[in-house]
Amino acid sequence: MPDAARPPARVALALAGGGPLGAIYEIGALCAIAETLQGVDFNHCNHYVGVSAGGFIAAALANGMTPRELCQLFISNQSHQGDTFDPAWLMRPAYAEIAHRLLQIPGLGLQSLKAWTLGRRPLISALEKMAPALPTGLFSNEEVHRQLAKLFSQPGRTNDFRQLKHRLTLVATHLDSGDAAPFGREGWDHVPISRAIAASAALPGLFPPVEIDGKFYVDGALKKTMHASVALEEGVDVMFCLNPLVPFDASQPDVRRVGSGQGKPIPSMVEGGFPAVMSQTFRSMIHSRLELGMKQYERSYPDTAIVLIEPDHRDAELFLANTFSYRQRRELAEHAYQQTRQWLRSQYTSLSHRLHPHGITLDRRVLDDNTRHLLTSSPEDAADNQAQPTNLSRRDRLNQALHRLQNSVDDLNHALAHHAIGPR
């Protein structure tokens, strides 16, 4: 079929969660992908699927906000139509939840005392009666809901699933059954988008469960990491999946954290204490599920081009990031943007082969333009760049040369394979 007569490809976008760090990575990556791919518009996908922080990005895209506008809002903190989004909202204590639990301490304490003294239960068993006094979450998600409702109520946007021009599904988990809750689908689309995002991002222990229609919902990642099957089941030609969290591989001898003029070797994970161990454990668990899910998708939907974009497992900058630092948010977004461009260059041949049948191509001139940046450097950034040691720039040039060589080898292999199976 000639290109002019080819119907537009049905494109879906699935965004996994990952907290503020996940949102930063996905924004940087989407900016790199959007400017590179020709034939796809991430504001006009047939279906958006979002989980947790990915739900915020998916809802914004479905509302017509471009990846660059999201960068201005979430990374640069620049106003657009009066928009504001401050990640500090995520750190507001859940006063109502904490107060509700504290009020239960006297009654529960009395029950525990009776069980220990009169019931002669072991102390540990008696103290278990105090468990309901523990808060289900430390931080409030109400402010996030209110601010997102305001954001999506701006002219040209909507906080109502039913008024969107494109399908949007935000997945949470029903706490009492463990079932996935696909907000946005029929029967679930009466819930405000902002409330659905708060439910999908309610990670137990950090945020209280969100009550909707008398039921309680928590983070959608408890059931699946990506939930891309929500869109695949409806039939799409191309499925783009972004996953910001991967287990960090610190076992390689050359893995270093580069920044602030230093290139220090990364120590063993256990030396980072409880936070590092838990982060690595959580990442490994959700990524193993993702790997199994992606294999299942490829077997079940062989006619769909499924493209997974995620960070390098040796990327120390993302693993050791402080996402609540404004300045580091800029650095991380730029880092995600450049790393995604590098990945697109390394996968140029294979991606072109998979996407071209659907009318989507990669702009090689954009990929080869090393002057492109996500953000304009601030004076402080410029000073830091001047302070970087010269061996960093040499390493970058070496990496670029190696990627160009790899691309040439891939192109040659692709050409030879095409010639071998072509007509004789």
Side-chain angles (χ1 to χ4, degrees), residues 202-213:
L203 182 63
L206 290 182
F207 298 97
V210 174
E211 184 177 4
I212 299 176
D213 296 338

Side-chain angles (χ1 to χ4, degrees), residues 62-121:
N63 260 295
M65 299 180 68
T66 68
R68 286 281 177 172
E69 289 174 345
L70 280 171
C71 181
Q72 293 175 354
L73 171 66
F74 194 76
I75 309 299
S76 300
N77 201 26
Q78 297 176 357
S79 176
H80 179 77
Q81 297 185 6
D83 299 336
T84 58
F85 189 90
D86 186 355
W89 295 333
L90 302 173
M91 302 297 290
R92 294 193 177 184
Y95 293 114
E97 167 67 11
I98 295 173
H100 170 69
R101 300 293 168 173
L102 289 177
L103 290 175
Q104 300 184 49
I105 289 180
L108 293 172
L110 182 59
Q111 294 179 26
S112 179
L113 181 62
K114 287 181 178 179
W116 182 45
T117 56
L118 301 180
R120 297 188 177 182
R121 290 189 182 182

Side-chain angles (χ1 to χ4, degrees), residues 349-360:
T349 301
S350 61
L351 285 176
S352 297
H353 178 68
R354 296 169 63 190
L355 297 178
H356 186 268
H358 304 289
I360 301 175

Side-chain angles (χ1 to χ4, degrees), residues 213-227:
D213 296 338
K215 298 179 181 179
F216 290 91
Y217 298 91
V218 293
D219 197 317
L222 269 65
K223 189 73 174 180
K224 292 182 181 179
T225 302
M226 186 71 68
H227 289 279

Side-chain angles (χ1 to χ4, degrees), residues 136-411:
T136 57
L138 299 178
F139 304 111
S140 174
N141 38 34
E142 276 301 307
E143 183 65 17
V144 176
H145 157 61
R146 286 193 292 268
Q147 295 296 335
L148 289 181
K150 179 181 177 182
L151 175 68
F152 295 141
S153 298
Q154 297 289 337
R157 304 175 193 157
T158 179
N159 199 32
D160 190 330
F161 285 101
R162 297 163 294 190
Q163 295 182 12
L164 290 171
K165 297 179 181 179
H166 309 285
R167 183 179 291 277
L168 168 67
T169 303
L170 304 174
V171 186
T173 303
H174 181 210
L175 181 61
D176 291 331
S177 68
D179 294 334
F183 293 106
R185 303 190 76 172
E186 186 176 357
W188 301 84
D189 53 1
H190 65 286
V191 178
I193 293 174
S194 56
R195 181 68 71 184
I197 293 174
S200 180
L203 182 63
L206 290 182
F207 298 97
V210 174
E211 184 177 4
I212 299 176
D213 296 338
K215 298 179 181 179
F216 290 91
Y217 298 91
V218 293
D219 197 317
L222 269 65
K223 189 73 174 180
K224 292 182 181 179
T225 302
M226 186 71 68
H227 289 279
S229 57
V230 172
L232 290 168
E233 290 171 356
E234 296 186 354
V236 293
D237 300 311
V238 183
M239 181 87 232
F240 291 102
C241 302
L242 267 69
N243 172 51
L245 296 184
V246 297
F248 178 56
D249 184 2
S251 64
Q252 300 299 320
D254 61 340
V255 173
R256 294 170 175 264
R257 177 173 186 174
V258 178
S260 303
Q262 299 177 353
K264 297 181 178 179
I266 301 299
S268 172
M269 197 68 63
V270 73
E271 295 184 27
F274 179 78
V277 172
M278 288 304 300
S279 176
Q280 182 76 336
T281 301
F282 178 73
R283 289 165 177 259
S284 299
M285 290 174 59
I286 64 173
H287 195 263
S288 64
R289 293 189 313 178
L290 175 63
E291 290 179 322
L292 292 175
M294 295 302 295
K295 292 178 181 178
Q296 181 62 42
Y297 295 156
E298 293 174 356
R299 289 193 298 266
S300 302
Y301 308 97
D303 297 328
T304 301
I306 303 175
V307 180
L308 173 64
I309 301 101
E310 58 183 11
D312 191 299
H313 288 248
R314 297 167 298 176
D315 195 329
E317 292 300 305
L318 289 175
F319 184 77
L320 300 173
N322 173 16
T323 57
F324 291 97
S325 165
Y326 166 69
R327 181 172 178 180
Q328 194 167 16
R329 290 207 309 271
R330 293 174 56 90
E331 295 173 354
L332 290 171
E334 181 70 36
H335 179 75
Y337 171 81
Q338 296 297 347
Q339 290 298 99
T340 303
R341 281 173 46 83
Q342 180 176 313
W343 181 84
L344 290 168
R345 283 193 294 267
S346 70
Q347 300 294 318
Y348 178 84
T349 301
S350 61
L351 285 176
S352 297
H353 178 68
R354 296 169 63 190
L355 297 178
H356 186 268
H358 304 289
I360 301 175
T361 59
L362 282 76
D363 192 330
R364 192 61 180 261
R365 292 176 301 176
V366 171
L367 287 177
D368 290 339
D369 183 1
N370 293 325
T371 65
R372 287 181 174 265
H373 293 278
L374 177 64
L375 300 164
T376 303
S377 298
S378 64
E380 293 83 359
D381 295 333
D384 285 345
N385 291 335
Q386 291 178 358
Q388 296 293 332
T390 56
N391 65 330
L392 178 60
S393 60
R394 292 195 192 99
R395 186 181 66 178
D396 288 342
R397 289 197 297 270
L398 177 59
N399 286 337
Q400 293 173 5
L402 289 174
H403 280 295
R404 286 195 294 268
L405 176 60
Q406 182 63 54
N407 290 339
S408 299
V409 173
D410 289 342
D411 291 340

